[in-house]
Amino acid sequence: MQQDWLSSVITQAFSVSPEGIAFTETELPLEQQVNKDFVTLLPQLGVLGVEGSDACRFLQGQLSCDLDSVSLAAGRRGVHCTPKGRAIASFILAQQSAQHYACLLPYSTLPALKQSLAKYIVFSKAQLLDLTQAWLVFGLAGAAARDFIQHHGDGILPGGSLCQTSFNTGHCMQLEGSGPRYLVRLPRREAASFWQESTRQLAVADSAAWDLLDIRQGIGNIVASTSEMFIPQMLNF
């Protein structure tokens, strides 16, 4: 997580830690924050890119998710494991272009995932790229968030859980759950204008509010302190 991202995007007073961001103006308890239609920045998420003509075939042999079900229109959750079957990192895998995939994951586990995949990618026509500084990831929740996405994107909403559409020059993915939730990842140059527009229509929430919605949905994310503690079945993968 790099603090200089935030200085160019966020104008409110805030505090930042490796676990996320807290806005001083959001003094509501998390239980009340999640009941609002909100937007938050997710600096605790990293983006690991895998690109090249062999990217798909390489990832098919390294990840728990089926690459045949990953496309420009749909992502999948997955894990990468040690040879003994222990999960090193969990992530959402999304396709960004024909030969380019992105793993969205807690930034604390990105170095471990990159180091492990690097052992095997040398045999493929593909490369690993830490894209965390190039992209900003936002979380939006609620009916008003859905309306905002539809109005300010390309007019087409994602079609269901882990489906994605283009959003300006970035991507928007709908997450699981009964209430609308979206992950929007944008190039850094677009982050400031997106933040200004979204916060005019949505409440600002701490990133911990997003984590609480994950918990309520039964989604477990591996962080550095829990890497290699679980097998995929323990995490419902």
Side-chain angles (χ1 to χ4, degrees):
M1 184 176 58
Q2 305 296 326
Q3 228 173 344
D4 65 321
W5 308 346
L6 307 177
S7 63
S8 65
V9 177
I10 307 300
T11 58
Q12 298 101 320
F14 60 91
S15 61
V16 182
S17 73
E19 287 73 41
I21 188 168
F23 297 93
T24 57
E25 67 180 44
T26 57
E27 298 178 354
L28 291 175
L30 291 181
E31 290 286 346
Q32 295 182 38
Q33 291 186 40
V34 297
N35 290 328
K36 294 178 175 291
D37 297 344
F38 71 81
V39 59
T40 188
L41 180 63
L42 301 173
Q44 69 268 37
L45 293 184
V47 183
L48 180 65
V50 184
E51 62 179 42
S53 58
D54 285 346
C56 180
R57 182 170 60 180
F58 167 73
L59 291 172
Q60 183 71 79
Q62 296 297 325
L63 308 182
S64 66
C65 46
D66 181 7
L67 268 289
D68 289 339
S69 63
V70 177
S71 67
L72 292 171
R76 288 292 182 270
R77 291 189 183 272
V79 294
H80 171 64
C81 296
T82 67
K84 293 184 178 180
R86 294 283 172 173
I88 296 172
S90 61
F91 47 80
I92 296 176
L93 181 68
Q95 188 175 16
Q96 302 207 144
S97 64
Q99 298 182 0
H100 186 183
Y101 295 82
C103 293
L104 283 71
L105 73 165
Y107 185 73
S108 64
T109 56
L110 189 151
L113 177 60
K114 185 178 181 182
Q115 181 180 20
S116 182
L117 292 177
K119 299 175 184 177
Y120 310 103
I121 203 168
V122 294
F123 305 108
S124 302
K125 294 178 181 178
Q127 61 178 333
L128 300 169
L129 301 168
D130 184 348
L131 302 175
T132 306
Q133 294 195 46
W135 294 83
L136 281 171
V137 184
F138 300 87
L140 294 86
R146 178 186 57 216
D147 295 341
F148 175 82
I149 292 292
Q150 187 168 24
H151 180 71
H152 289 272
D154 57 8
I156 302 174
L157 289 169
S161 297
L162 300 182
C163 291
Q164 76 171 2
T165 60
S166 59
F167 189 90
N168 299 330
T169 58
H171 305 272
C172 174
M173 177 177 286
Q174 182 176 339
L175 296 194
E176 308 94 329
S178 56
R181 266 212 305 164
Y182 303 94
L183 278 176
V184 173
R185 58 190 190 278
L186 293 171
R188 181 175 170 177
R189 65 181 180 275
E190 294 184 19
S193 60
F194 175 83
W195 182 256
Q196 291 167 4
E197 292 175 5
S198 62
T199 54
R200 281 197 289 264
Q201 300 186 36
L202 302 168
V204 176
D206 299 340
S207 58
W210 187 262
D211 295 335
L212 178 57
L213 291 179
D214 273 350
I215 292 169
R216 288 181 173 179
Q217 191 59 36
I219 298 169
N221 293 304
I222 296 173
V223 295
S225 60
T226 56
S227 183
E228 299 189 35
M229 289 183 62
F230 306 105
I231 60 174
Q233 292 88 341
M234 293 177 178
L235 301 170
N236 202 29
F237 285 102

